[in-house]
Amino acid sequence: MLIKNKKSRHRSQQSKMNKNTLAVFFVLLMSAIFSLKISAATDSEELAKAHQAYTAKGADTCLSCHDEDNEYPVMPIFKGPHGQPFGEKAPFNNLQCESCHGPGQAHAKKAKRSDDVAGTIIHFGKNSTTSIELQNEKCIDCHQDTERGHWPGSAHQQEDLTCVSCHQIHVAKDPVMQPTTQTKVCLSCHTRQRAELHKRSVHSMQYDQLQCSSCHQPHGSTSDKLLVKSNLNETCYSCHAEKRGPFLWQHAPVDEDCGLCHVPHGSNQVALLKKRTQLLCRECHSPAGHPSLSPSATSLPGGRHSGIGKFVVGKNCLNCHSQIHGSNHPSGAKLTR
Ligand code: HEC
Ligand code: HEC
Ligand code: HEC
Ligand code: HEC
Ligand code: HEC
Ligand code: HEC
Ligand code: HEC
Ligand code: HEC
Ligand code: HEC
Ligand code: HEC
């Protein structure tokens, strides 16, 4: 349309030059479109640059909008460790709010005009549009210490958890850091373990003596299942040192793996056992050479007298083999004393 209009205007003035003029216009038009494109490009570059810019007044700017009346309570951060202005790494000794949320000038500008600010600033948590990598990078920037050394490749990193899947920042006390509330945070995802903790025998985690992180290093570790020590037994020994021995009479499986007989979280048997003792022992001990399975009196320990079987058959192996983790008694070879 534009070209036609111009064409007709030109035709009335110099009809003979028509073809040439048309060509010139084409060139002009193209260059106009081209330059339009260029200016569009510089615009978005500018926007990107503004996006990189930090606010001049830092937290003062942020708090002019995100105050006590804000729907999301940001203020409690000043009661927690991140709100304290002490130390080289303290956010409030550095870029303040923007230490974590990144450059905020573009966000602050846009927020003056509109509530629709999604994507203008680093945003953490479930509803975030910021990439998981960038969210975690922000935290790791300051927390790149040995504790987080095994984060890359760990189960939680692989499952796309963010630091904020467990941690809260705008609170006086981070629940996952408190002994009595940590379990709740972990169990919000680990429903199977939640069920196990309702069984008859558990590592009680209601009180502050024991938590998930007594045994697990949630940031990743060198062992299977994120254990705090290099393997399962070492983890158990950190509290049950008396089971380590050395014993005069060892029970071989104890040294090897507590998990051959115990489950860690919860069991309907006594003492976190995997199974009822009789069944458990028979997993490894065949009736051969031992009477417990055999109704024949002749095979009873202690001789061929009839009647002794009633002490053995169907009885709990532990009635006699009480020193199941090992014995230091000179005659405790059969773990009976
Ligand atoms: C002019 C007011 C204003 C200023 C200044 C301001 N914000 Fe916001 N901010 C808003 C509004 C409005 C929203 C959207 C509604 C809400 O979440 O409260 C928002 C949302 C956010 C969000 C969530 C973003 C999202 O994608 O949902 C974060 C994080 C945030 N602001 C942090 C900051 C930080 C950090 C600063 C200082 C650098 C800052 N804001 C400065 C008004 C402002
Ligand atoms: C140590 C890092 C850190 C600092 C410093 C920090 N924040 Fe946050 N902020 C977070 C995290 C993490 C979340 C997400 C929390 C969540 O999902 O429960 C968040 C959430 C927010 C939200 C809510 C966004 C939403 O989901 O609606 C706002 C607004 C906000 N911060 C503003 C601020 C302001 C203002 C400051 C400075 C006074 C500040 N933040 C300082 C890490 C930080
Ligand atoms: C600008 C540096 C900085 C950034 C960014 C930062 N932190 Fe921190 N963080 C600190 C400082 C400083 C402390 C307090 C000193 C200490 O305990 O080591 C701290 C303490 C903590 C603690 C211990 C809290 C407690 O109750 O003892 C946790 C957990 C934590 N940060 C998690 C995070 C997470 C998650 C993020 C990302 C959202 C983050 N931090 C971002 C500097 C930072
Ligand atoms: C699966 C939950 C979970 C995730 C994900 C997680 N943490 Fe933690 N974090 C914890 C728990 C639990 C503790 C308390 C550990 C303890 O008491 O031994 C903790 C403690 C901390 C501490 C303070 C104590 C210390 O170890 O120095 C910092 C700092 C921290 N985490 C930073 C991070 C950062 C950074 C990320 C992301 C890379 C992250 N956390 C991801 C659960 C988590
Ligand atoms: C946001 C959800 C979420 C939270 C919160 C969470 N986890 Fe996990 N965790 C997962 C997912 C997903 C996996 C991988 C699938 C699985 O094994 O269940 C996993 C795996 C694990 C594993 C097995 C690792 C392996 O190598 O197989 C352990 C142990 C674990 N988490 C412990 C914890 C502890 C301790 C906490 C609390 C400090 C916690 N988790 C908090 C989601 C979560
Ligand atoms: C007493 C130590 C201990 C405590 C406390 C503990 N765990 Fe475990 N957990 C273990 C051991 C040991 C394993 C490995 C079991 C195995 O390999 O069979 C394990 C395995 C796991 C697994 C992986 C299960 C699988 O089948 O892959 C998850 C998830 C888990 N624990 C979550 C938790 C949560 C959540 C808590 C807190 C409620 C918790 N644990 C408390 C010792 C513990
Ligand atoms: C952080 C310390 C700690 C660690 C690590 C630990 N335990 Fe325990 N364990 C306890 C405490 C405390 C009790 C007794 C209180 C209770 O029942 O919660 C206990 C009780 C037990 C019981 C007896 C439960 C009952 O119902 O009588 C067994 C069995 C047990 N632990 C096995 C293990 C095994 C196996 C491991 C390694 C996977 C382990 N523990 C790791 C602290 C620990
Ligand atoms: C051969 C099977 C077996 C192995 C392996 C084993 N236990 Fe046990 N454990 C038992 C039995 C059976 C009981 C129940 C004892 C009772 O009821 O008197 C028990 C009870 C316990 C108890 C609670 C009673 C007590 O003696 O304090 C703890 C704690 C315990 N075991 C820890 C461990 C640890 C730690 C390991 C690994 C180093 C381990 N067990 C390996 C069979 C085993
Ligand atoms: C995971 C396999 C396993 C389980 C389960 C197991 N044991 Fe053992 N037990 C062994 C091994 C291996 C030996 C060493 C055998 C040897 O030296 O000839 C042993 C040795 C013994 C001995 C000493 C035998 C001897 O000849 O010196 C007794 C007694 C014993 N176990 C009783 C039990 C009782 C009771 C239970 C159940 C609470 C049990 N065991 C569960 C593997 C197991
Ligand atoms: C009434 C007590 C009693 C009960 C119950 C009992 N035992 Fe024994 N057991 C003994 C005695 C005593 C010996 C030692 C016999 C000997 O020295 O010749 C023995 C020996 C053993 C031996 C070593 C066998 C060998 O040939 O030297 C094993 C293994 C064993 N018992 C396992 C078990 C298991 C598994 C159970 C449960 C199903 C069990 N015992 C129940 C008393 C008992």
Side-chain angles (χ1 to χ4, degrees):
M1 276 306 288
L2 182 76
I3 291 169
K4 254 192 184 165
N5 282 342
K6 303 232 167 178
K7 209 165 111 187
S8 59
R9 208 192 308 146
H10 279 276
R11 195 194 286 140
S12 68
Q13 290 169 353
Q14 309 163 297
S15 52
K16 276 187 184 174
M17 295 278 283
N18 208 348
K19 270 186 186 168
N20 282 348
T21 325
L22 199 65
V24 168
F25 260 99
F26 243 102
V27 171
L28 281 176
L29 196 72
M30 290 314 287
S31 65
I33 288 170
F34 192 60
S35 68
L36 240 170
K37 262 196 185 150
I38 287 177
S39 76
T42 32
D43 260 13
S44 69
E45 263 163 31
E46 218 110 85
L47 221 113
K49 250 191 222 152
H51 205 76
Q52 294 301 312
Y54 290 94
T55 54
K57 292 187 185 157
D60 287 349
T61 305
C62 311
L63 294 175
S64 69
C65 295
H66 296 284
D67 55 12
E68 287 95 340
D69 302 332
N70 201 228
E71 201 185 319
Y72 183 92
V74 300
M75 292 307 185
I77 196 174
F78 294 109
K79 291 184 181 157
H82 286 109
Q84 311 311 317
F86 313 114
E88 204 184 308
K89 278 191 177 172
F92 286 87
N93 247 348
N94 291 291
L95 292 158
Q96 305 183 334
C97 314
E98 292 160 284
S99 309
C100 292
H101 289 289
Q105 199 183 82
H107 166 75
K109 257 190 195 166
K110 185 155 186 209
K112 278 189 189 142
R113 286 178 271 123
S114 139
D115 265 5
D116 179 20
V117 295
T120 55
I121 193 161
I122 293 178
H123 182 203
F124 300 87
K126 278 197 196 115
N127 307 321
S128 171
T129 49
T130 307
S131 77
I132 285 165
E133 289 76 21
L134 183 55
Q135 287 183 53
N136 287 346
E137 192 185 300
K138 275 290 152 194
C139 310
I140 291 170
D141 268 355
C142 286
H143 294 294
Q144 203 164 30
D145 39 39
T146 48
E147 292 279 344
R148 249 69 48 204
H150 298 291
W151 174 254
S154 71
H156 285 137
Q157 188 264 341
Q158 298 266 307
E159 293 285 338
D160 280 349
L161 262 71
T162 63
C163 308
V164 180
S165 304
C166 293
H167 290 290
Q168 286 185 41
I169 301 294
H170 290 275
V171 289
K173 285 186 173 164
D174 182 356
V176 87
M177 298 292 294
Q178 307 303 314
T180 46
T181 45
Q182 179 194 94
T183 314
K184 213 171 159 190
V185 178
C186 306
L187 294 182
S188 69
C189 293
H190 292 290
T191 47
R192 190 153 65 81
Q193 280 68 30
R194 183 208 297 272
E196 284 172 348
L197 290 184
H198 287 297
K199 292 186 173 173
R200 169 184 177 188
S201 165
V202 293
H203 263 120
S204 160
M205 282 173 243
Q206 322 283 5
Y207 315 106
D208 59 3
Q209 78 205 71
L210 203 67
Q211 327 149 40
C212 309
S213 65
S214 306
C215 296
H216 295 292
Q217 169 47 279
H219 308 108
S221 79
T222 50
S223 60
D224 261 7
K225 310 293 179 198
L226 304 174
L227 294 177
V228 287
K229 294 284 158 73
S230 56
N231 61 40
L232 189 144
N233 271 37
E234 287 302 322
T235 304
C236 309
Y237 292 147
S238 66
C239 294
H240 301 291
E242 79 285 357
K243 300 284 185 286
R244 185 200 284 275
F247 296 104
L248 186 55
W249 309 103
Q250 304 267 27
H251 190 194
V254 175
D255 239 7
E256 195 183 321
D257 185 356
C258 312
L260 288 168
C261 299
H262 292 290
V263 293
H265 306 116
S267 158
N268 283 332
Q269 310 305 324
V270 291
L272 289 163
L273 289 176
K274 272 178 23 181
K275 300 184 174 166
R276 284 176 57 214
T277 30
Q278 287 95 320
L279 295 175
L280 179 68
C281 308
R282 281 176 199 154
E283 262 186 11
C284 299
H285 295 289
S286 70
H290 196 275
S292 64
L293 277 180
S294 164
S296 151
T298 51
S299 61
L300 292 175
R304 358 188 119 71
H305 312 290
S306 58
I308 300 180
K310 67 174 183 260
F311 297 112
V312 182
V313 179
K315 295 285 188 267
N316 194 328
C317 316
L318 297 171
N319 287 352
C320 302
H321 301 287
S322 57
Q323 303 304 305
I324 202 63
H325 302 101
S327 166
N328 280 325
H329 195 283
S331 46
K334 307 299 175 195
L335 312 175
T336 50
R337 61 192 87 195

